[in-house]
């Protein structure tokens, strides 16, 4: 479609930090391999307990490697991420965030929970004062990390997305909810915020907007609400091209007469047409 660009044209996209990415992955891979080697050596020496820790640590490193990898490489077309939902009693169109970054983060936290939990049990089994103190510390760390997957299981932390309806745009972050009515929204540019390596869509609201927002958890506020009325859509959490996503949202921000499509098959058709246009342009 006219004016549609590839995310590779944005200076702050994944290609810009390619060297940093590959160096980090290489370093973590070495650590993981050393941990596996240590597990094999300690197992041969009969120290099965130490081997368990080495293998679990290697597994955590593998998950940590997977996290930036799935963020860096997008796989879905826009149409695959768009669906029709019911939102606050109205039919709406929702663009879901990628499941993989959030799922990997939950897996990493669950693995640290198991790591410190095993340590607490092993220290407690020694049955001396020094080991009991260490067991308390390990148990506290296990409970701390364990609160993350518990928050995910109860829905306080969840895979987010952005929902467009006839009333406005609602954002669900990993740890917050935020909403602006159409009357308050005036723009939705794609930009790169200072200190970030990924493009961001800023759905701007007027200064006196009726901005409804709240955090969904007290402890794990892993993404932050902005200080002003704006929906800050972090494109590295979506599994689609940032420019395609931005063009789709701007279609309804810039064209009020087209908002009747939201929550209907027409909005899904539009997503497919936009993706098809990008494909024809050589994506």
């Amino acid at each position: 479609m006219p004016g549609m660009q590839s995310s590779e044209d944005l200076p702050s996209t994944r290609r810009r930090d390619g060297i940093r990415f590959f160096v980090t992955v290489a370093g973590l891979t070495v650590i993981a391999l050393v941990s596996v080697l240590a597990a094999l050596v300690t197992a041969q020496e009969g120290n099965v307990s130490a081997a368990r820790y080495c293998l679990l640590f290697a597994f955590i490193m593998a998950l940590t490697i997977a996290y930036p990898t799935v963020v860096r490489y997008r796989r879905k077309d826009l149409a695959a991420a768009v669906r029709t939902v019911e939102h606050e009693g109205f039919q709406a169109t929702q663009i879901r965030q990628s499941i993989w970054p959030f799922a990997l983060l939950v897996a990493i936290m669950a693995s640290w929970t198991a790591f410190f939990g095993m340590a607490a049990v092993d220290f407690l089994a020694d049955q001396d004062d020094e080991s009991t103190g260490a067991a308390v510390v390990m148990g506290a760390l296990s409970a701390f990390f364990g609160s993350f997957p518990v928050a995910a299981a109860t829905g306080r932390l969840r895979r987010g997305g952005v929902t467009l309806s006839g009333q406005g745009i609602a954002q669900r972050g990993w740890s917050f909810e935020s909403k602006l009515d159409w009357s308050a929204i005036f723009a939705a540019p794609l930009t790169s915020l200072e200190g970030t390596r990924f493009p961001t869509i800023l759905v701007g609201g007027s200064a006196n907007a009726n901005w409804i927002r709240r955090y969904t958890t007290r402890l794990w506020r892993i993404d932050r609400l902005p200080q002003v009325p704006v929906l800050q859509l972090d494109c590295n959490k979506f599994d689609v091209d940032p420019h395609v996503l931005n063009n789709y949202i701007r279609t309804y921000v810039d064209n009020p007469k087209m908002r009747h499509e939201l929550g209907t098959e027409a909005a899904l058709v539009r997503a497919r047409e936009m993706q098809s246009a990008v494909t024809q342009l050589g994506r």
Side-chain angles (χ1 to χ4, degrees):
M1 297 191 111
M4 196 170 284
Q5 300 169 283
S6 162
S7 61
E8 303 298 335
D9 298 329
L10 202 67
S12 59
T13 51
R14 302 178 301 278
R15 185 170 287 178
R16 186 177 182 181
D17 68 315
I19 294 177
R20 182 188 305 176
F21 168 78
F22 287 111
V23 168
T24 300
V25 167
L28 291 174
T29 301
V30 170
I31 294 172
L33 291 175
V34 169
S35 296
V36 171
L37 180 61
L40 294 174
V41 171
T42 53
Q44 287 180 345
E45 294 175 349
N47 193 344
V48 178
S49 179
R52 284 187 296 133
Y53 288 106
C54 291
L55 285 175
L56 182 53
F57 184 76
F59 179 66
I60 294 171
M61 290 301 100
L63 292 174
T64 306
I65 292 167
Y67 183 89
T69 302
V70 299
V71 168
R72 184 177 176 86
Y73 298 106
R74 307 182 194 281
R75 295 164 303 281
K76 279 188 178 179
D77 290 344
L78 173 66
V82 176
R83 63 176 182 171
T84 300
V85 298
E86 184 175 317
H87 180 75
E88 297 181 348
F90 298 95
Q91 289 296 106
T93 298
Q94 183 182 79
I95 307 106
R96 292 169 289 178
Q97 292 179 353
S98 172
I99 187 62
W100 292 108
F102 183 71
L104 284 168
L105 189 55
V106 172
I108 290 169
M109 293 300 194
S111 298
W112 279 120
T113 301
F115 186 92
F116 290 115
M118 287 194 314
V121 172
D122 288 344
F123 275 121
L124 199 59
D126 288 343
Q127 295 183 342
D128 61 64
D129 292 341
E130 199 171 292
S131 295
T132 300
V136 171
V137 173
M138 294 297 105
L141 286 171
S142 181
F144 172 73
F145 284 102
S147 65
F148 190 97
V150 168
T154 57
R156 286 175 290 167
L157 295 174
R158 67 173 60 175
R159 168 192 186 184
V162 58
T163 304
L164 291 76
S165 69
Q167 287 63 50
I169 301 180
Q171 178 188 8
R172 168 71 205 217
W174 286 353
S175 61
F176 70 80
E177 294 174 344
S178 183
K179 179 183 177 182
L180 286 171
D181 293 336
W182 285 118
S183 59
I185 297 172
F186 61 85
L190 180 65
T191 185
S192 180
L193 299 180
E194 185 177 354
T196 66
R197 303 191 306 276
F198 294 94
T200 301
I201 298 171
L202 297 179
V203 181
S206 57
N208 60 347
N210 179 28
W211 181 29
I212 302 171
R213 75 277 190 193
R214 73 180 184 98
Y215 284 105
T216 57
T217 178
R218 291 181 180 274
L219 177 60
W220 292 105
R221 295 182 177 182
I222 51 179
D223 43 7
R224 292 283 180 176
L225 284 164
Q227 299 299 312
V228 295
V230 62
L231 306 182
Q232 190 172 300
L233 307 180
D234 185 354
C235 291
N236 75 332
K237 293 179 180 176
F238 290 87
D239 208 10
V240 298
D241 185 286
H243 279 281
V244 179
L245 178 61
N246 180 239
N247 274 271
Y248 187 72
I249 293 173
R250 284 189 59 185
T251 296
Y252 299 106
V253 170
D254 297 341
N255 302 281
K257 292 183 179 180
M258 299 177 67
R259 294 172 191 166
H260 69 275
E261 295 180 356
L262 296 170
T264 71
E265 179 66 22
L268 305 182
V269 171
R270 186 169 298 280
R272 290 193 290 269
E273 290 175 347
M274 281 191 170
Q275 191 64 55
S276 176
V278 170
T279 303
Q280 292 174 10
L281 286 172
R283 291 290 295 151

